[in-house]
Amino acid sequence: MKVTWTLQDGGTRTADVAPGTNMMEAAVANGINGVVGECGGCLSCATCHVYVADDWADKTGGPEDFEDAMLDATEAERKATSRLSCQIVADDSLDGLHLIVPTP
Ligand code: FES
């Protein structure tokens, strides 16, 4: 499946992501600045914060309770479409997913 990120400099990058990969791993593998993934995806760092593009927010759904609490600790402003990208896992229903990298 394909994922597009809007980057901090306003550009975009699109990459193929294998099903089962989470969006933090995909961002790190593709050198997306601003998505760090310090905790390795175990939901304890909030450095993988992204905004889901408005037209994708229904498909990804919102955060679970613990993720929701962690989103209060992000460096960049929290928005309605904020997610921790390690908690979004690629599957074919998300083909074309568009994520926006926050700017602190
Ligand atoms: Fe640490 Fe997502 S990688 S919370």
Side-chain angles (χ1 to χ4, degrees), residues 34-36 46-51 71 74-79 81-85 100-102:
V35 179
V36 178
T47 63
C48 62
H49 178 208
V50 296
Y51 305 128
L71 279 165
T74 55
E75 193 180 352
E77 177 198 358
R78 180 177 182 171
K79 297 185 180 175
T81 58
S82 286
R83 291 292 311 272
L84 295 179
S85 57
I100 299 152
V101 182

Side-chain angles (χ1 to χ4, degrees), residues 42-84:
C42 67
L43 205 49
S44 64
C45 73
T47 63
C48 62
H49 178 208
V50 296
Y51 305 128
V52 177
D54 287 340
D55 50 344
W56 281 95
D58 281 351
K59 291 201 177 91
T60 60
E64 302 292 331
D65 287 352
F66 190 70
E67 180 187 344
D68 186 61
M70 288 292 295
L71 279 165
D72 288 334
T74 55
E75 193 180 352
E77 177 198 358
R78 180 177 182 171
K79 297 185 180 175
T81 58
S82 286
R83 291 292 311 272
L84 295 179

